[in-house]
Amino acid sequence: MSEPVLGFNDALALVLEHAAAIHPPEMEVVDLPSSRGRVLAEAILADRDQPPFDRSTRDGFAVRAAELNSSPLRVVGTLGAGEPWWGDSLALGEALEIMTGAGVPVGLDAVVMVEHVEQAGGSIRLLEGRALRVGENILPRGSEARAGQIVLPAGTTMAAAEIALAAACGQAHLQVFVRPQVAIVATGDELVEIHESPQPQQIRNSNSYALASLAEAAGGIARCSPIVPDRRDALHQAIDEARASDLLVLSGGVSMGRYDLVEEVLRDLGAEFFFTGVRMQPGRPLVFGRLPATAQFPALYFFGLPGNPVSSQVTFRAFVETMLRALSGAGASRPQFVQATLGADVPAKPELTRLLPARLEGTEVTLIRWQGSGDLAANAQGNCYALLPARPEGFSAGEVIRILLR
């Protein structure tokens, strides 16, 4: 085989290159409550200034700062959030009790907090040693956004904060990209369905469920095929049935054993391979390529993931999500690594980049003891994967490393 086995960074860069060339999918309209996890196809604009008035950010008294700094003021009314001020402009020497979120009447330039004044006989005065600045505790009109300004660009993935902002702009319905269909094909004679009782030499199919969950979380719609045995005809049929999808993800059958037939069948179907392995642990047998277009279907990107369940989940998070987010309309983006401090020494592994199950507590990350890439119990104990680049020396406790959150 002429296709390369790449280092981790080179493999990721190649996936990103292909992801960047993906054309955005078709659009559809969804209502706002259904938009969580969807990717905006059209930008959302502020329909008016945000905030639409000078807003008090504290419970207190709206005043002219210069007046209160020099003398007591008489309180002439109360204004709550959502209430208009129908009264006259305040005269010199007057103040207005005001609640958080209320609009500050024209002519008043500061809000003094309740706890910063002394109240007596219907008047207020600043406590000893206090001073009030012009603009204090007032959020000016339009300081968050101006009417017509883009507040959420196309390509934004909607979550709680984005949904709240869209609601504030009156967006009851959104133009979003259609979610990509992800065909998930688990292979292996050793697999049985989860409702079956496995023989001593068999295991239940966990990969389809884990990969479907990851695909849905990344913006796709998972379509899981029945378990495919290690036979060329069965693999050929399963791949043919997946051609109507936007992305094909296979697990198992990509190593070098006699019954690892996935690459052979893909080659028979004219597949182009971009790499056939990554120097990483777990996940070295990872395969990335593309099936050619046919008269009925467009070209189809595929990933062949290792069959060991931790390997399949790690490689999905590190590589497949990048392609899937691009197919969702969110554009090409690297996995989101964050920094943490290593809690214990880790020996070197010079030839491989490792992404190992780990647990983050505060800012410290500790590797989970595991029995290899089939250890689902250890994987479930972690909440992240520790990224340990290939290098000749080991890693020391207290060293800052990158982690991939789960």
Side-chain angles (χ1 to χ4, degrees):
M1 292 184 297
S2 59
E3 298 82 16
V5 175
L6 300 179
F8 179 84
N9 291 330
D10 289 338
L12 181 56
L14 190 54
V15 173
L16 281 163
E17 179 183 330
H18 284 273
I22 294 292
H23 295 295
E26 295 181 355
M27 298 183 292
E28 64 181 350
V29 177
V30 298
D31 60 16
L32 184 62
S34 304
S35 66
R36 185 180 184 277
R38 303 302 297 271
V39 178
L40 284 180
E42 290 185 354
I44 292 177
L45 311 182
D47 65 330
R48 59 177 182 163
D49 290 346
Q50 296 283 357
F53 47 80
D54 293 344
R55 186 173 69 204
S56 175
T57 62
R58 295 288 188 273
D59 293 334
F61 299 89
V63 299
R64 298 177 184 90
E67 284 190 294
L68 187 61
N69 283 328
S70 60
S71 61
L73 301 179
R74 183 167 59 90
V75 180
V76 297
T78 300
L79 185 61
E83 296 178 353
W85 175 246
W86 298 113
D88 297 329
S89 297
L90 268 64
L92 295 177
E94 293 180 339
L96 182 67
E97 186 178 16
I98 195 167
M99 307 304 162
T100 300
V104 179
V106 175
L108 305 182
D109 60 18
V111 172
V112 61
M113 296 168 61
V114 171
E115 52 266 43
H116 291 172
V117 298
E118 177 185 327
Q119 303 181 56
S123 295
I124 59 170
R125 71 167 63 240
L126 277 174
L127 294 175
E128 188 71 27
R130 288 278 176 189
L132 186 66
R133 293 177 291 102
V134 170
E136 192 167 339
N137 300 320
I138 294 177
L139 191 62
R141 174 176 177 167
S143 57
E144 297 171 350
R146 288 293 184 185
Q149 178 182 335
I150 293 175
V151 293
L152 291 172
T156 298
T157 300
M158 300 297 291
E162 292 76 17
I163 289 171
L165 180 53
C169 295
Q171 296 290 321
H173 300 90
L174 307 178
Q175 284 274 2
V176 298
F177 290 116
V178 173
R179 296 169 67 193
Q181 304 275 330
V182 184
I184 295 173
V185 179
T187 73
D189 289 336
E190 75 279 15
L191 300 179
V192 297
E193 296 293 356
I194 60 172
H195 59 272
E196 298 181 55
S197 297
Q199 297 298 316
Q201 73 279 10
Q202 295 177 316
I203 58 174
R204 293 188 178 93
N205 172 24
S206 64
N207 279 352
S208 289
Y209 297 92
L211 298 177
S213 176
L214 290 169
E216 297 275 346
I221 298 176
R223 298 285 184 254
C224 295
S225 74
I227 296 168
V228 179
D230 293 320
R231 297 199 323 267
R232 288 178 178 81
D233 60 336
L235 278 168
H236 196 298
Q237 180 180 344
I239 293 170
D240 276 346
E241 292 173 354
R243 286 306 305 257
S245 300
D246 300 295
L247 182 66
L248 170 60
V249 179
L250 304 107
S251 69
V254 292
S255 295
M256 301 299 291
R258 180 189 298 270
Y259 299 110
D260 292 317
L261 305 174
V262 166
E263 287 185 48
E264 286 186 31
V265 173
L266 288 167
R267 287 180 194 279
D268 290 344
L269 293 169
E272 175 184 11
F273 288 84
F274 304 122
F275 58 74
T276 55
V278 180
R279 290 189 291 275
M280 64 180 294
Q281 180 196 21
R284 186 182 178 97
L286 175 68
V287 170
F288 173 49
R290 181 170 53 197
L291 286 165
T294 67
Q296 188 177 2
F297 299 112
L300 178 66
Y301 281 105
F302 64 81
F303 288 88
L305 311 185
N308 279 328
V310 181
S311 297
S312 69
Q313 293 176 49
V314 167
T315 50
F316 192 104
R317 290 296 317 279
F319 295 96
V320 182
E321 277 189 15
T322 292
M323 180 60 69
L324 184 50
R325 293 197 184 280
L327 289 165
S328 302
S333 59
R334 291 179 171 273
Q336 295 300 299
F337 289 96
V338 298
Q339 291 186 327
T341 302
L342 196 57
D345 294 348
V346 180
K349 196 144 192 175
E351 71 280 10
L352 298 176
T353 294
R354 288 172 287 175
L355 263 174
L356 302 179
R359 184 155 194 89
L360 178 67
E361 300 285 353
T363 60
E364 185 175 275
V365 64
T366 304
L367 299 189
I368 302 294
R369 286 183 171 273
W370 71 326
Q371 304 302 317
S373 54
D375 193 343
L376 281 170
N379 189 51
Q381 293 173 32
N383 57 11
C384 64
Y385 296 107
L387 177 65
L388 302 172
R391 70 183 198 191
E393 69 274 15
F395 296 82
S396 302
E399 188 171 345
V400 176
I401 64 168
R402 291 190 295 162
I403 61 171
L404 182 60
L405 294 175
R406 286 216 324 241

